[in-house]
mmCIF file of all heavy atoms in Angstrom:
data_model
loop_
_atom_site.group_PDB
_atom_site.id
_atom_site.type_symbol
_atom_site.label_atom_id
_atom_site.label_comp_id
_atom_site.label_asym_id
_atom_site.label_seq_id
_atom_site.Cartn_x
_atom_site.Cartn_y
_atom_site.Cartn_z
ATOM 1 N N ASN F 149 17.176 12.348 25.023
ATOM 2 C CA ASN F 149 16.738 10.972 24.775
ATOM 3 C C ASN F 149 15.220 10.887 24.787
ATOM 4 O O ASN F 149 14.613 10.349 25.692
ATOM 5 C CB ASN F 149 17.319 10.044 25.831
ATOM 6 C CG ASN F 149 17.017 10.560 27.221
ATOM 7 O OD1 ASN F 149 16.721 11.740 27.368
ATOM 8 N ND2 ASN F 149 17.059 9.696 28.201
ATOM 9 N N SER F 150 14.683 11.407 23.750
ATOM 10 C CA SER F 150 13.226 11.407 23.714
ATOM 11 C C SER F 150 12.745 10.334 22.771
ATOM 12 O O SER F 150 13.508 9.714 22.065
ATOM 13 C CB SER F 150 12.730 12.757 23.245
ATOM 14 O OG SER F 150 13.223 12.971 21.963
ATOM 15 N N MET F 151 11.449 10.210 22.761
ATOM 16 C CA MET F 151 10.882 9.187 21.913
ATOM 17 C C MET F 151 10.759 9.702 20.500
ATOM 18 O O MET F 151 10.632 10.893 20.282
ATOM 19 C CB MET F 151 9.489 8.822 22.418
ATOM 20 C CG MET F 151 9.512 8.395 23.859
ATOM 21 S SD MET F 151 7.850 8.457 24.506
ATOM 22 C CE MET F 151 7.709 10.185 24.774
ATOM 23 N N LYS F 152 10.774 8.790 19.620
ATOM 24 C CA LYS F 152 10.534 9.199 18.246
ATOM 25 C C LYS F 152 9.126 8.796 17.873
ATOM 26 O O LYS F 152 8.596 7.839 18.390
ATOM 27 C CB LYS F 152 11.517 8.498 17.332
ATOM 28 C CG LYS F 152 12.892 9.038 17.545
ATOM 29 C CD LYS F 152 13.812 8.551 16.464
ATOM 30 C CE LYS F 152 15.227 8.824 16.897
ATOM 31 N NZ LYS F 152 15.978 9.629 16.095
ATOM 32 N N PRO F 153 8.554 9.543 16.984
ATOM 33 C CA PRO F 153 7.186 9.197 16.604
ATOM 34 C C PRO F 153 7.149 7.883 15.853
ATOM 35 O O PRO F 153 8.078 7.554 15.138
ATOM 36 C CB PRO F 153 6.759 10.351 15.682
ATOM 37 C CG PRO F 153 8.028 10.892 15.172
ATOM 38 C CD PRO F 153 9.041 10.702 16.230
ATOM 39 N N ILE F 154 6.079 7.207 16.066
ATOM 40 C CA ILE F 154 6.026 5.902 15.454
ATOM 41 C C ILE F 154 5.601 5.978 14.013
ATOM 42 O O ILE F 154 5.987 5.192 13.196
ATOM 43 C CB ILE F 154 4.977 5.015 16.139
ATOM 44 C CG1 ILE F 154 4.685 5.498 17.532
ATOM 45 C CG2 ILE F 154 5.404 3.577 16.127
ATOM 46 C CD1 ILE F 154 3.504 4.834 18.139
ATOM 47 N N ILE F 155 4.736 6.940 13.758
ATOM 48 C CA ILE F 155 4.056 6.889 12.484
ATOM 49 C C ILE F 155 4.580 7.976 11.570
ATOM 50 O O ILE F 155 4.817 9.092 11.995
ATOM 51 C CB ILE F 155 2.561 7.107 12.703
ATOM 52 C CG1 ILE F 155 2.032 6.023 13.631
ATOM 53 C CG2 ILE F 155 1.819 7.052 11.409
ATOM 54 C CD1 ILE F 155 0.780 6.388 14.307
ATOM 55 N N ALA F 156 4.706 7.677 10.343
ATOM 56 C CA ALA F 156 5.155 8.685 9.391
ATOM 57 C C ALA F 156 3.945 9.382 8.797
ATOM 58 O O ALA F 156 3.057 8.743 8.268
ATOM 59 C CB ALA F 156 5.959 8.022 8.289
ATOM 60 N N PRO F 157 3.909 10.681 8.871
ATOM 61 C CA PRO F 157 2.779 11.411 8.296
ATOM 62 C C PRO F 157 2.886 11.461 6.780
ATOM 63 O O PRO F 157 3.895 11.064 6.219
ATOM 64 C CB PRO F 157 2.909 12.809 8.885
ATOM 65 C CG PRO F 157 4.327 12.929 9.266
ATOM 66 C CD PRO F 157 4.818 11.551 9.567
ATOM 67 N N PRO F 158 1.898 11.929 6.122
ATOM 68 C CA PRO F 158 1.928 11.981 4.661
ATOM 69 C C PRO F 158 2.964 12.983 4.182
ATOM 70 O O PRO F 158 3.459 13.778 4.967
ATOM 71 C CB PRO F 158 0.516 12.436 4.293
ATOM 72 C CG PRO F 158 0.042 13.132 5.500
ATOM 73 C CD PRO F 158 0.646 12.433 6.659
ATOM 74 N N PRO F 159 3.282 12.965 2.959
ATOM 75 C CA PRO F 159 4.327 13.859 2.440
ATOM 76 C C PRO F 159 3.911 15.316 2.597
ATOM 77 O O PRO F 159 2.724 15.626 2.625
ATOM 78 C CB PRO F 159 4.455 13.482 0.971
ATOM 79 C CG PRO F 159 3.244 12.711 0.669
ATOM 80 C CD PRO F 159 2.804 12.068 1.933
ATOM 81 N N PRO F 160 4.854 16.210 2.701
ATOM 82 C CA PRO F 160 4.523 17.593 3.031
ATOM 83 C C PRO F 160 3.715 18.232 1.922
ATOM 84 O O PRO F 160 3.906 17.916 0.756
ATOM 85 C CB PRO F 160 5.882 18.267 3.171
ATOM 86 C CG PRO F 160 6.810 17.391 2.431
ATOM 87 C CD PRO F 160 6.275 16.021 2.537
ATOM 88 N N PRO F 161 2.823 19.082 2.277
ATOM 89 C CA PRO F 161 2.029 19.758 1.262
ATOM 90 C C PRO F 161 2.899 20.720 0.479
ATOM 91 O O PRO F 161 3.849 21.267 0.995
ATOM 92 C CB PRO F 161 0.975 20.504 2.075
ATOM 93 C CG PRO F 161 1.577 20.645 3.418
ATOM 94 C CD PRO F 161 2.506 19.512 3.619
ATOM 95 N N SER F 162 2.564 20.900 -0.740
ATOM 96 C CA SER F 162 3.384 21.795 -1.539
ATOM 97 C C SER F 162 3.022 23.224 -1.203
ATOM 98 O O SER F 162 1.903 23.539 -0.837
ATOM 99 C CB SER F 162 3.149 21.529 -3.008
ATOM 100 O OG SER F 162 1.799 21.813 -3.313
ATOM 101 N N VAL F 163 3.994 24.041 -1.345
ATOM 102 C CA VAL F 163 3.759 25.424 -0.988
ATOM 103 C C VAL F 163 2.773 26.066 -1.942
ATOM 104 O O VAL F 163 2.073 27.005 -1.614
ATOM 105 C CB VAL F 163 5.092 26.185 -1.024
ATOM 106 C CG1 VAL F 163 4.869 27.652 -0.795
ATOM 107 C CG2 VAL F 163 6.024 25.638 0.032
ATOM 108 N N ALA F 164 2.740 25.549 -3.128
ATOM 109 C CA ALA F 164 1.907 26.194 -4.133
ATOM 110 C C ALA F 164 0.432 26.094 -3.814
ATOM 111 O O ALA F 164 -0.371 26.826 -4.337
ATOM 112 C CB ALA F 164 2.190 25.584 -5.498
#
Side-chain angles (χ1 to χ4, degrees):
Chain F
N149 52 340
S150 61
M151 304 163 282
K152 290 191 194 239
I154 338 169
I155 301 158
S162 63
V163 174

